[in-house]
Amino acid sequence: MSTVHCEEVVRLLWRYMDRELDPDTYRRLQEHVRQCRNCGPRHEFEARLRSIIQEKCAGQPAPEALRRRVMALLQEL
Ligand SMILES: [Zn+2]
């Protein structure tokens, strides 16, 4: 089991959060993030940032113009 370096965590952090890594790499990163004083807070920050972005994007209503176009299309049917 090789050691994970901080640079590797930075490079793979988003894929790590998306669980796109193979289980072995994922476990090694998880272990590192838990123990590393740099990567722990960094991961925390990125995770929070991402959840904010996802919240904002998912909760957004369809733009008015698009909604009107859909309504118009529906009325034509
Ligand atoms: Zn680190």
Side-chain angles (χ1 to χ4, degrees), residues 4-6 9 32 36-40 42:
V4 182
H5 296 286
C6 292
V9 174
H32 179 103
C36 181
R37 267 189 241 167
N38 295 321
C39 299
R42 187 182 286 140

Side-chain angles (χ1 to χ4, degrees), residues 38-51:
N38 295 321
C39 299
R42 187 182 286 140
H43 171 253
E44 183 114 335
F45 173 80
E46 294 279 351
R48 213 172 293 166
L49 184 70
R50 265 172 63 118
S51 75

Side-chain angles (χ1 to χ4, degrees), residues 62-75:
E64 190 58 34
L66 177 69
R67 217 168 59 196
R68 244 178 278 155
R69 233 164 64 202
V70 173
M71 292 303 278
L73 276 173
L74 284 174
Q75 274 163 13

Side-chain angles (χ1 to χ4, degrees), residues 17-28:
M17 288 191 289
D18 283 334
R19 316 243 162 167
E20 279 174 3
L21 302 167
D22 60 282
D24 184 55
T25 311
Y26 183 84
R27 260 199 306 272
R28 287 196 292 132

